[in-house]
PDB file of all heavy atoms in Angstrom:
ATOM      1  N   ALA A  90      -0.787  12.810 -18.851  1.00  0.00           N
ATOM      2  CA  ALA A  90      -1.676  13.955 -19.030  1.00  0.00           C
ATOM      3  C   ALA A  90      -1.907  14.445 -17.607  1.00  0.00           C
ATOM      4  O   ALA A  90      -2.383  13.689 -16.757  1.00  0.00           O
ATOM      5  CB  ALA A  90      -2.977  13.522 -19.664  1.00  0.00           C
ATOM      6  N   CYS A  91      -1.530  15.686 -17.320  1.00  0.00           N
ATOM      7  CA  CYS A  91      -1.673  16.209 -15.962  1.00  0.00           C
ATOM      8  C   CYS A  91      -3.139  16.069 -15.531  1.00  0.00           C
ATOM      9  O   CYS A  91      -4.040  16.496 -16.251  1.00  0.00           O
ATOM     10  CB  CYS A  91      -1.234  17.677 -15.925  1.00  0.00           C
ATOM     11  SG  CYS A  91      -1.734  18.526 -14.421  1.00  0.00           S
ATOM     12  N   PRO A  92      -3.418  15.460 -14.364  1.00  0.00           N
ATOM     13  CA  PRO A  92      -4.810  15.250 -13.932  1.00  0.00           C
ATOM     14  C   PRO A  92      -5.563  16.569 -13.754  1.00  0.00           C
ATOM     15  O   PRO A  92      -6.780  16.593 -13.755  1.00  0.00           O
ATOM     16  CB  PRO A  92      -4.667  14.544 -12.577  1.00  0.00           C
ATOM     17  CG  PRO A  92      -3.292  14.006 -12.549  1.00  0.00           C
ATOM     18  CD  PRO A  92      -2.449  14.903 -13.414  1.00  0.00           C
ATOM     19  N   HIS A  93      -4.822  17.668 -13.625  1.00  0.00           N
ATOM     20  CA  HIS A  93      -5.475  18.956 -13.387  1.00  0.00           C
ATOM     21  C   HIS A  93      -5.750  19.715 -14.692  1.00  0.00           C
ATOM     22  O   HIS A  93      -6.869  20.133 -14.958  1.00  0.00           O
ATOM     23  CB  HIS A  93      -4.607  19.786 -12.449  1.00  0.00           C
ATOM     24  CG  HIS A  93      -5.295  20.988 -11.930  1.00  0.00           C
ATOM     25  ND1 HIS A  93      -6.288  20.920 -10.987  1.00  0.00           N
ATOM     26  CD2 HIS A  93      -5.153  22.296 -12.244  1.00  0.00           C
ATOM     27  CE1 HIS A  93      -6.728  22.135 -10.741  1.00  0.00           C
ATOM     28  NE2 HIS A  93      -6.058  22.990 -11.488  1.00  0.00           N
ATOM     29  N   CYS A  94      -4.701  19.903 -15.546  1.00  0.00           N
ATOM     30  CA  CYS A  94      -4.878  20.725 -16.752  1.00  0.00           C
ATOM     31  C   CYS A  94      -4.875  19.897 -18.040  1.00  0.00           C
ATOM     32  O   CYS A  94      -5.095  20.442 -19.112  1.00  0.00           O
ATOM     33  CB  CYS A  94      -3.785  21.786 -16.825  1.00  0.00           C
ATOM     34  SG  CYS A  94      -2.137  21.095 -17.089  1.00  0.00           S
ATOM     35  N   GLN A  95      -4.590  18.606 -17.910  1.00  0.00           N
ATOM     36  CA  GLN A  95      -4.571  17.677 -19.062  1.00  0.00           C
ATOM     37  C   GLN A  95      -3.411  17.930 -20.022  1.00  0.00           C
ATOM     38  O   GLN A  95      -3.349  17.331 -21.090  1.00  0.00           O
ATOM     39  CB  GLN A  95      -5.896  17.699 -19.861  1.00  0.00           C
ATOM     40  CG  GLN A  95      -7.141  17.435 -19.027  1.00  0.00           C
ATOM     41  CD  GLN A  95      -7.080  16.112 -18.261  1.00  0.00           C
ATOM     42  OE1 GLN A  95      -6.576  15.118 -18.768  1.00  0.00           O
ATOM     43  NE2 GLN A  95      -7.552  16.096 -17.030  1.00  0.00           N
ATOM     44  N   GLN A  96      -2.497  18.853 -19.683  1.00  0.00           N
ATOM     45  CA  GLN A  96      -1.343  19.092 -20.551  1.00  0.00           C
ATOM     46  C   GLN A  96      -0.372  17.922 -20.467  1.00  0.00           C
ATOM     47  O   GLN A  96      -0.283  17.265 -19.439  1.00  0.00           O
ATOM     48  CB  GLN A  96      -0.594  20.363 -20.110  1.00  0.00           C
ATOM     49  CG  GLN A  96      -1.346  21.654 -20.342  1.00  0.00           C
ATOM     50  CD  GLN A  96      -1.443  22.010 -21.809  1.00  0.00           C
ATOM     51  OE1 GLN A  96      -0.456  21.928 -22.537  1.00  0.00           O
ATOM     52  NE2 GLN A  96      -2.638  22.347 -22.249  1.00  0.00           N
ATOM     53  N   ARG A  97       0.367  17.698 -21.563  1.00  0.00           N
ATOM     54  CA  ARG A  97       1.398  16.657 -21.573  1.00  0.00           C
ATOM     55  C   ARG A  97       2.528  17.041 -20.635  1.00  0.00           C
ATOM     56  O   ARG A  97       2.968  18.178 -20.649  1.00  0.00           O
ATOM     57  CB  ARG A  97       2.003  16.570 -22.981  1.00  0.00           C
ATOM     58  CG  ARG A  97       1.316  15.648 -23.926  1.00  0.00           C
ATOM     59  CD  ARG A  97       2.275  15.210 -25.013  1.00  0.00           C
ATOM     60  NE  ARG A  97       2.954  16.304 -25.656  1.00  0.00           N
ATOM     61  CZ  ARG A  97       2.576  16.824 -26.821  1.00  0.00           C
ATOM     62  NH1 ARG A  97       1.526  16.353 -27.440  1.00  0.00           N
ATOM     63  NH2 ARG A  97       3.265  17.806 -27.361  1.00  0.00           N
ATOM     64  N   THR A  98       2.992  16.072 -19.870  1.00  0.00           N
ATOM     65  CA  THR A  98       4.136  16.338 -18.995  1.00  0.00           C
ATOM     66  C   THR A  98       4.878  15.040 -18.709  1.00  0.00           C
ATOM     67  O   THR A  98       4.268  13.979 -18.653  1.00  0.00           O
ATOM     68  CB  THR A  98       3.683  17.014 -17.675  1.00  0.00           C
ATOM     69  OG1 THR A  98       4.828  17.196 -16.836  1.00  0.00           O
ATOM     70  CG2 THR A  98       2.674  16.164 -16.906  1.00  0.00           C
ATOM     71  N   LEU A 101       5.070  14.332 -12.863  1.00  0.00           N
ATOM     72  CA  LEU A 101       3.981  14.833 -12.023  1.00  0.00           C
ATOM     73  C   LEU A 101       4.543  15.004 -10.620  1.00  0.00           C
ATOM     74  O   LEU A 101       5.333  14.184 -10.150  1.00  0.00           O
ATOM     75  CB  LEU A 101       2.827  13.830 -11.982  1.00  0.00           C
ATOM     76  CG  LEU A 101       1.997  13.688 -13.266  1.00  0.00           C
ATOM     77  CD1 LEU A 101       0.964  12.592 -13.090  1.00  0.00           C
ATOM     78  CD2 LEU A 101       1.322  15.007 -13.630  1.00  0.00           C
ATOM     79  N   PHE A 108      -1.376  14.887  -7.210  1.00  0.00           N
ATOM     80  CA  PHE A 108      -0.347  14.932  -8.243  1.00  0.00           C
ATOM     81  C   PHE A 108      -0.792  15.850  -9.374  1.00  0.00           C
ATOM     82  O   PHE A 108      -1.941  15.788  -9.827  1.00  0.00           O
ATOM     83  CB  PHE A 108      -0.100  13.530  -8.816  1.00  0.00           C
ATOM     84  CG  PHE A 108       0.742  12.682  -7.923  1.00  0.00           C
ATOM     85  CD1 PHE A 108       0.155  11.764  -7.059  1.00  0.00           C
ATOM     86  CD2 PHE A 108       2.124  12.813  -7.913  1.00  0.00           C
ATOM     87  CE1 PHE A 108       0.931  10.980  -6.221  1.00  0.00           C
ATOM     88  CE2 PHE A 108       2.914  12.038  -7.073  1.00  0.00           C
ATOM     89  CZ  PHE A 108       2.313  11.117  -6.227  1.00  0.00           C
ATOM     90  N   ALA A 109       0.115  16.697  -9.831  1.00  0.00           N
ATOM     91  CA  ALA A 109      -0.168  17.567 -10.981  1.00  0.00           C
ATOM     92  C   ALA A 109       1.167  17.999 -11.577  1.00  0.00           C
ATOM     93  O   ALA A 109       2.242  17.702 -11.024  1.00  0.00           O
ATOM     94  CB  ALA A 109      -0.989  18.778 -10.558  1.00  0.00           C
ATOM     95  N   CYS A 110       1.103  18.687 -12.712  1.00  0.00           N
ATOM     96  CA  CYS A 110       2.342  19.123 -13.364  1.00  0.00           C
ATOM     97  C   CYS A 110       2.950  20.301 -12.592  1.00  0.00           C
ATOM     98  O   CYS A 110       2.318  20.882 -11.712  1.00  0.00           O
ATOM     99  CB  CYS A 110       2.072  19.494 -14.824  1.00  0.00           C
ATOM    100  SG  CYS A 110       1.143  21.019 -15.031  1.00  0.00           S
ATOM    101  N   ARG A 111       4.159  20.646 -12.986  1.00  0.00           N
ATOM    102  CA  ARG A 111       4.903  21.718 -12.324  1.00  0.00           C
ATOM    103  C   ARG A 111       4.141  23.043 -12.379  1.00  0.00           C
ATOM    104  O   ARG A 111       4.076  23.785 -11.409  1.00  0.00           O
ATOM    105  CB  ARG A 111       6.250  21.871 -13.040  1.00  0.00           C
ATOM    106  CG  ARG A 111       7.208  22.817 -12.405  1.00  0.00           C
ATOM    107  CD  ARG A 111       8.551  22.650 -13.051  1.00  0.00           C
ATOM    108  NE  ARG A 111       8.648  23.324 -14.330  1.00  0.00           N
ATOM    109  CZ  ARG A 111       9.040  24.589 -14.471  1.00  0.00           C
ATOM    110  NH1 ARG A 111       9.360  25.293 -13.410  1.00  0.00           N
ATOM    111  NH2 ARG A 111       9.120  25.133 -15.647  1.00  0.00           N
ATOM    112  N   THR A 112       3.542  23.324 -13.526  1.00  0.00           N
ATOM    113  CA  THR A 112       2.831  24.591 -13.691  1.00  0.00           C
ATOM    114  C   THR A 112       1.620  24.651 -12.772  1.00  0.00           C
ATOM    115  O   THR A 112       1.390  25.665 -12.104  1.00  0.00           O
ATOM    116  CB  THR A 112       2.370  24.749 -15.155  1.00  0.00           C
ATOM    117  OG1 THR A 112       3.455  24.394 -15.994  1.00  0.00           O
ATOM    118  CG2 THR A 112       1.918  26.143 -15.454  1.00  0.00           C
ATOM    119  N   CYS A 113       0.836  23.589 -12.732  1.00  0.00           N
ATOM    120  CA  CYS A 113      -0.365  23.594 -11.887  1.00  0.00           C
ATOM    121  C   CYS A 113      -0.005  23.756 -10.412  1.00  0.00           C
ATOM    122  O   CYS A 113      -0.714  24.415  -9.671  1.00  0.00           O
ATOM    123  CB  CYS A 113      -1.166  22.320 -12.082  1.00  0.00           C
ATOM    124  SG  CYS A 113      -2.018  22.285 -13.654  1.00  0.00           S
ATOM    125  N   HIS A 114       1.098  23.142 -10.002  1.00  0.00           N
ATOM    126  CA  HIS A 114       1.490  23.246  -8.595  1.00  0.00           C
ATOM    127  C   HIS A 114       2.327  24.492  -8.318  1.00  0.00           C
ATOM    128  O   HIS A 114       2.772  24.716  -7.204  1.00  0.00           O
ATOM    129  CB  HIS A 114       2.282  22.006  -8.169  1.00  0.00           C
ATOM    130  CG  HIS A 114       1.418  20.866  -7.735  1.00  0.00           C
ATOM    131  ND1 HIS A 114       0.177  21.039  -7.193  1.00  0.00           N
ATOM    132  CD2 HIS A 114       1.642  19.525  -7.763  1.00  0.00           C
ATOM    133  CE1 HIS A 114      -0.338  19.858  -6.893  1.00  0.00           C
ATOM    134  NE2 HIS A 114       0.523  18.922  -7.241  1.00  0.00           N
TER     135      HIS A 114
HETATM  136 ZN1   ZN B 201      -1.156  20.695 -14.987  1.00  0.00          ZN
END
Side-chain angles (χ1 to χ4, degrees):
C91 166
H93 192 73
C94 67
Q95 305 304 322
Q96 291 289 315
R97 271 204 309 261
T98 177
L101 289 176
F108 282 98
C110 71
R111 187 169 79 89
T112 314
C113 287
H114 275 332

